[in-house]
Amino acid sequence: MKALTWHGKGDMRCESVPDPKIEHPRDAIIKVTACAICGSDLHIYDGVIPGMEKGDVLGHETMGEVVEVGSENKKLKVGDRVVVPFTIACGECFFCKKGHFSGCERTNPDHAKAEKLWGHSPAGLFGYSHLLGGYAGGQAEYLRVPFADIGPIKVPDSLTDDQVLFLSDIFPTGYMAADFCNIQPGDTIAIWGCGPVGQFAIRSAFLLGAGRVLAIDTVPERLALARAAGAQTLDFKAEDIYERIQELTRGRGADACIDAVGTEPETTASFDSIVDRVKVATFMGTDRPHVLRQAIHCCRNFGTVSIVGVYGGFLDKIPMGSAINRGLTFRMAQTPVQHYLPLLLERIEKGEIDPSFVITHRAPLADGPALYKTFRDKKDGCVKVVLKP
Ligand SMILES: NC(=O)c1ccc[n+]([C@@H]2O[C@H](COP(=O)([O-])OP(=O)(O)OC[C@H]3O[C@@H](n4cnc5c(N)ncnc54)[C@H](O)[C@@H]3O)[C@@H](O)[C@H]2O)c1
Ligand SMILES: [Zn+2]
Ligand SMILES: [Zn+2]
């Protein structure tokens, strides 16, 4: 089959790889009808995620048709149309039983490596390095889905691929980001990053009762898409974000701040961001948490900082003094997608949101390598790429 494979920083290829096979009786094989490129894939593309090997198949936003099921899989049948969560979960362990699917303790065969770095291992993820299971991803013609009786959700024929594909990741992620904020009616939620995840966070914040969303980015078409959802936009290259949020909240700060940017922010010449760049370039640091620092700074006393932008290792100069003295709550996670799926599918079916609004590019798989670059560089008005193998 054809798949998108990683060969090093900035080097994606569309090439032939062996077809996936059922390896465990609970597996299923999916013929992929649509898959997408995530902002998290860009961290791999840019070479900042450890544990990648040449030839690894990327992709964790995938849906398709079931073409084969293992003997113990009682949930799926050949022909079912499903969306596959990016987090692989067993459904039975201590964490899965609590709904913390992205903390599943059984699905990362490489858990020892993750434990060394992070103390404990999270769940395995599709197409996301040999720190997180080394599973082949879904930017491919076919995908093996482990624990396929737990993850994939069947979707009704009345909804198109474009409407349901993002249940695999970015819709639940944006929703979780807002959910973490414990939004009270009328709250002001500040959101850094108007990429696909930020866009879903904006709309979810409104669905959950926010009175006002302040959306921060600099890319004109992304800011326009945020405004279309009713957000007030701030351009971090044109204005001082802290000063603006102070002004807009009468000096109190935002009720909650969402970091939907993560470890690779664009930065103006602030001192902290220059130090970050030097540290990362000289292997003295792993991440560039400029946005997280700013989000903490801009959050009101006893507010919440919700982090969904991905970080990898050890973050320097996080203003913990500000956080503890002012009673901030931190929430963060790789999304336990399975936990949010039924509720969000229902919201789509009821017409409360149509996730296809975010798609700007549709293309065959072979165009994947070029579109990684277009998406990373935010060229050609690119907000979200969907590939149809
Ligand atoms: N927690 C999870 O489960 C999960 C799931 C999906 C994605 N993510 C992460 O969410 C983040 C966003 O993903 P995406 O798909 O939207 O990616 P993206 O790269 O398209 O979006 C990031 C946006 O942040 C903006 N930005 C950059 N620097 C900024 C700054 N200083 N201030 C404000 N905005 C800034 C960019 O212009 C861009 O529009 C990534 O880090 C990704 O890894 C996490
Ligand atoms: Zn993702
Ligand atoms: Zn589990």
Side-chain angles (χ1 to χ4, degrees):
M1 67 163 182
K2 290 282 184 217
L4 297 190
T5 54
W6 181 89
H7 286 269
K9 190 173 169 179
D11 185 358
M12 291 297 303
R13 300 179 195 171
C14 181
E15 59 186 0
S16 296
V17 301
D19 287 349
K21 292 191 177 61
I22 298 278
E23 292 175 20
H24 183 277
R26 287 170 75 180
D27 289 356
I29 305 289
I30 309 265
K31 181 181 193 318
V32 178
T33 54
C35 56
I37 306 176
C38 179
S40 298
D41 293 327
L42 295 180
H43 305 317
I44 295 180
Y45 185 64
D46 292 337
V48 304
I49 301 292
M52 290 299 297
E53 291 173 14
K54 281 184 196 297
D56 282 349
V57 178
L58 257 57
H60 57 267
E61 298 183 358
T62 301
M63 66 174 294
E65 193 190 310
V66 176
V67 290
E68 204 181 335
V69 282
S71 58
E72 275 175 34
N73 191 321
K74 303 278 175 273
K75 188 177 141 194
L76 296 179
K77 301 188 303 297
V78 169
D80 283 345
R81 187 166 162 254
V82 294
V83 174
V84 183
F86 78 95
T87 41
I88 302 171
C90 78
E92 294 151 356
C93 74
F94 176 84
F95 296 105
C96 285
K97 276 195 204 139
K98 290 181 186 296
H100 304 322
F101 296 98
S102 46
C104 177
E105 56 191 355
R106 289 206 194 142
T107 53
N108 184 3
D110 299 324
H111 59 90
K113 283 186 217 160
E115 281 158 11
K116 219 170 183 176
L117 184 63
W118 294 329
H120 302 271
S121 173
L125 305 183
F126 286 104
Y128 221 76
S129 89
H130 294 267
L131 202 57
L132 295 170
Y135 292 100
Q139 287 161 2
E141 289 178 311
Y142 293 89
L143 173 70
R144 175 177 85 93
V145 182
F147 299 98
D149 49 347
I150 300 300
I153 185 167
K154 289 184 212 176
V155 288
D157 288 336
S158 55
L159 298 171
T160 63
D161 282 13
D162 289 356
Q163 287 175 299
V164 291
L165 173 60
F166 305 132
L167 285 168
S168 57
D169 178 352
I170 53 171
F171 182 20
T173 298
Y175 190 88
M176 174 185 74
D179 187 32
F180 279 170
C181 297
N182 185 26
I183 297 175
Q184 304 301 305
D187 273 0
T188 295
I189 312 299
I191 301 180
W192 277 255
C194 296
V197 170
Q199 297 293 341
F200 281 102
I202 292 166
R203 284 154 182 84
S204 300
F206 282 126
L207 284 174
L208 293 172
R212 188 164 55 158
V213 173
L214 309 178
I216 305 148
D217 205 301
T218 193
V219 183
E221 58 275 11
R222 294 180 178 212
L223 291 172
L225 204 52
R227 277 192 297 274
Q232 194 170 338
T233 56
L234 285 68
D235 181 342
F236 68 86
K237 283 197 179 156
E239 51 202 332
D240 184 300
I241 296 303
Y242 171 76
E243 295 297 341
R244 278 290 283 148
I245 292 181
Q246 283 296 88
E247 201 179 293
L248 290 165
T249 59
R250 297 212 190 106
R252 181 178 282 166
D255 295 300
C257 293
I258 294 175
D259 173 355
V261 179
T263 190
E264 296 187 272
E266 240 193 272
T267 49
T268 49
S270 66
F271 178 69
D272 70 301
S273 58
I274 292 168
V275 173
D276 286 344
R277 280 189 192 277
V278 171
K279 283 197 164 173
V280 170
T282 55
F283 304 103
M284 288 176 60
T286 57
D287 293 80
R288 300 193 290 109
H290 171 71
V291 161
L292 177 56
R293 293 185 194 109
Q294 203 168 59
I296 293 171
H297 212 58
C298 293
C299 190
R300 70 154 163 81
N301 295 355
F302 287 83
T304 298
V305 176
S306 163
I307 310 165
V308 291
V310 161
Y311 294 96
F314 302 87
L315 280 59
D316 291 347
K317 297 202 167 41
I318 298 302
M320 286 306 287
S322 169
I324 186 165
N325 283 288
R326 302 190 303 106
L328 302 191
T329 297
F330 283 64
R331 299 289 312 268
M332 63 197 89
Q334 287 281 14
T335 311
V337 176
Q338 291 85 340
H339 173 70
Y340 288 104
L341 274 188
L343 167 83
L344 296 184
L345 178 59
E346 203 180 300
R347 284 194 185 265
I348 298 173
E349 284 187 285
K350 281 192 196 148
E352 290 173 19
I353 183 166
D354 179 347
S356 63
F357 77 89
V358 79
I359 305 172
T360 51
H361 289 63
R362 295 176 180 83
L365 198 64
D367 292 354
L371 284 166
Y372 259 84
K373 189 165 181 346
T374 306
F375 177 48
R376 197 265 318 268
D377 297 341
K378 303 171 189 71
K379 288 279 160 61
D380 192 26
C382 185
V383 180
K384 188 73 181 179
V385 177
V386 172
L387 302 169
K388 313 242 168 179

